[in-house]
Amino acid sequence: MDFGYDARTEELLARLTAFLDEHVYPAEPVLTAQLADPARDRWSIPPVIGDLQREAKRRGLWNLFLPGELGAGLTNLQYAPLAELTGRSIQLAPAALNCAAPDTGNMELLAQFGDEAQRKQWLEPLLAGEIRSAFAMTEPEVASSDATNIETRIERDGQDYVVTGRKWYITGAMNPDCRIFIVMGKTDPAADPRRQQSMILVPRDTPGVTVRRGMTVFGYDDRDHGGHAEVVFDGARVPAGNLIGEAGSGFAIAQARLGPGRIHHCMRAIGIAERALELMCRRVGARVAFGRPLAAQGVIQDWIAESRVRIEQARLLVLKTAWLMDTVGNRGAHTEIQAIKIIVPQTVEWILDKAVQAHGAAGVSQDTPLAHLWAGNRTLRLADGPDEVHRRSLARRELKKYQEA
Ligand SMILES: Cc1cc2nc3c(=O)[nH]c(=O)nc-3n(C[C@H](O)[C@H](O)[C@H](O)COP(=O)(O)OP(=O)(O)OC[C@H]3O[C@@H](n4cnc5c(N)ncnc54)[C@H](O)[C@@H]3O)c2cc1C
């Protein structure tokens, strides 16, 4: 067993660290200023992200998430520590490298299941960072953690499909550069529950598509990465060739999309935890209460030690999962993918909470990134499957071993 990173990973880590130090961290206040600028269109992506993208491309730090020839060709194990580093500046670094959700999952989906025409029209500009995309599955009217509930209809009409339904929390869709939606809906409600759904490409400018409003997350509108939109599809008509894969394959494609998406979230979340721990240590070293630095208080030392231990535990499990995905495939790593999706957001939430507490009022303010990070991380316990759904499925698989025996 080798716990070291290979030479390519080490080399990319050094390059990425330099990019973060020289460009990304210094751009954080620039992003804040641009987001606050009333002269800018509220939902368009701040120009500092485009500047960083050009620099990242120039440095060969582009599409690192995507295995194979279309991307940087890294394994999950190679990408994991790089994604973790991007989590340290979560508002800027993943977008700067064209490695931000939901585009990453959408690009993977198109690379894996799109036909040649779909790849040419949508994957190529996404890989080049020219447009953005959204993934539209969740619906306000039904419990969408159970994908068989989805009510949006995708109905065949001659040479077209007609899409009708209402979605919400569609990340990225408020951004006008988000040109394409991958929509999940039912092509055959009478079929077997796992063969009812399909996925279809719906361009944003299709008549019948209305991006209605941005949803908030604990009050944050997340406009740095295109918000989370409510989107209505009212008889949106697209050519039959926009269907991804065959009719009825939507459920299977969604499962395939979520594996890498989940581990990428976890990798970045560990970077968030590292940043929070760093902020906590710096703060308690500099602030004095009752005659001594906060860092001298046993309770705070306990939080710091516990945070370090929890980060190391979480990282090891994420790396093991990445290694399994590389060696036995996403299906073989199913249990571990669920395990990290359960434990990493909770671990990071615990650490962020302690960092907030150690900062006092500043911890909940807009003057440190902690409050926003806490809000974003908390949603990971819902998005891409709530904790309880993963626990249920993991427990069932565990139980099955003994039932079979
Ligand atoms: C910030 C954010 C971004 C998002 N981005 C997207 C996006 O880009 N595209 C998209 O399609 N969706 C997106 N979502 C939606 C997200 O994927 C859903 O919220 C999630 O799948 C849960 O569905 P639901 O909200 O309908 O909850 P429901 O299905 O109504 O579930 C509610 C709760 O019931 C409980 N529950 C459900 N099933 C079980 C069970 N079997 N056992 C025990 N308890 C259970 C859980 O506690 C769960 O949280 C996003 C959500 C957020 C908050």
Side-chain angles (χ1 to χ4, degrees):
M1 199 175 284
D2 184 355
F3 285 95
Y5 298 132
D6 66 13
R8 178 143 195 233
T9 310
E10 291 287 7
E11 190 267 323
L12 282 166
L13 275 172
R15 265 201 277 157
L16 183 53
T17 302
F19 176 61
L20 289 169
D21 289 341
E22 291 163 27
H23 292 274
V24 177
Y25 300 131
E28 287 178 353
V30 181
L31 175 72
T32 306
Q34 290 182 353
L35 286 171
D37 180 357
R40 281 187 57 255
D41 168 52
R42 184 158 174 244
W43 292 106
S44 65
I45 296 297
V48 67
I49 293 183
D51 299 341
L52 290 174
Q53 287 185 328
R54 280 184 285 281
E55 183 60 25
K57 253 189 198 171
R58 201 182 66 72
R59 292 178 177 230
L61 296 168
W62 193 251
N63 290 337
L64 299 177
F65 73 97
L66 194 60
E69 288 167 12
L70 290 170
L74 301 178
T75 63
N76 286 293
L77 198 54
Q78 289 173 319
Y79 179 54
L82 301 166
E84 179 189 321
L85 263 190
T86 68
R88 293 184 59 92
S89 186
I90 195 76
Q91 281 183 294
L92 284 173
L97 274 55
N98 211 31
C99 288
D103 297 290
T104 45
N106 296 338
M107 289 188 263
E108 273 159 356
L109 191 156
L110 286 167
Q112 210 179 333
F113 301 101
D115 64 24
E116 215 179 310
Q118 292 167 348
R119 287 191 196 186
K120 177 127 202 71
Q121 190 174 5
W122 302 113
L123 181 58
E124 286 184 12
L126 279 168
L127 286 171
E130 291 161 4
I131 61 167
R132 303 297 300 267
S133 60
F135 184 73
M137 179 167 127
T138 304
E139 301 179 1
E141 304 298 344
V142 293
S144 302
S145 49
D146 177 356
T148 62
N149 283 339
I150 295 304
E151 286 180 344
T152 291
R153 288 301 315 272
I154 303 175
E155 288 171 294
R156 186 77 193 233
D157 184 23
Q159 296 303 304
D160 300 328
Y161 277 106
V162 177
V163 182
T164 304
R166 185 156 74 99
K167 305 284 187 180
W168 76 348
Y169 278 93
I170 308 310
T171 300
M174 296 302 292
N175 171 11
D177 291 340
C178 172
R179 305 307 315 160
I180 187 72
F181 300 124
I182 298 178
V183 181
M184 183 145 160
K186 287 192 177 168
T187 34
D188 183 1
D192 174 90
R194 291 183 171 221
R195 294 289 303 166
Q196 296 175 357
Q197 301 87 353
S198 301
M199 289 211 193
I200 196 155
L201 288 156
V202 181
R204 182 194 196 90
D205 55 11
T206 308
V209 175
T210 308
V211 178
R212 193 176 264 177
R213 60 175 175 153
M215 309 304 302
T216 59
V217 170
F218 296 109
Y220 293 98
D221 64 13
D222 288 349
R223 65 202 144 98
D224 55 295
H225 58 271
H228 313 280
E230 179 181 342
V231 186
V232 176
F233 300 89
D234 183 9
R237 182 176 286 272
V238 294
N242 282 23
L243 204 74
I244 301 173
E246 60 182 31
S249 63
F251 195 90
I253 296 177
Q255 291 306 310
R257 181 189 184 279
L258 288 172
R262 286 171 181 150
I263 192 169
H264 294 167
H265 275 312
C266 292
M267 292 166 177
R268 288 186 295 262
I270 291 173
I272 291 174
E274 285 284 8
R275 184 90 188 258
L277 178 56
E278 180 186 331
L279 288 169
M280 173 156 60
C281 291
R282 289 188 190 283
R283 175 81 173 188
V284 298
R287 209 154 159 97
V288 174
F290 301 99
R292 51 190 187 150
L294 290 172
Q297 300 290 350
V299 65
I300 290 192
Q301 291 177 4
D302 190 56
W303 295 344
I304 289 168
E306 186 68 28
S307 298
R308 172 52 60 210
V309 172
R310 291 188 188 207
I311 288 174
E312 297 300 323
Q313 285 178 326
R315 181 185 289 118
L316 280 175
L317 191 51
V318 168
L319 290 173
K320 180 191 171 191
T321 306
W323 171 77
L324 277 173
M325 288 168 79
D326 292 336
T327 49
V328 297
N330 297 356
R331 199 178 279 273
H334 198 70
T335 298
E336 285 75 12
I337 291 172
Q338 288 189 315
I340 57 171
K341 180 64 179 55
I342 293 164
I343 204 61
V344 173
Q346 280 183 45
T347 298
V348 178
E349 185 184 315
W350 189 91
I351 294 167
L352 280 166
D353 186 72
K354 296 296 174 266
V356 165
Q357 192 71 14
H359 276 74
V364 296
S365 77
Q366 69 274 44
D367 288 352
T368 84
L370 291 168
H372 196 179
L373 290 175
W374 187 92
N377 179 75
R378 181 63 184 81
T379 69
L380 288 185
R381 296 185 53 199
L382 299 167
D384 287 358
D387 290 357
E388 294 75 16
V389 175
H390 292 298
R391 285 179 188 272
R392 169 177 177 263
S393 151
L394 204 155
R396 282 177 155 193
R397 242 187 347 275
E398 200 67 23
L399 286 165
K400 208 167 160 209
K401 289 184 201 166
Y402 303 97
Q403 283 156 4
E404 274 167 5

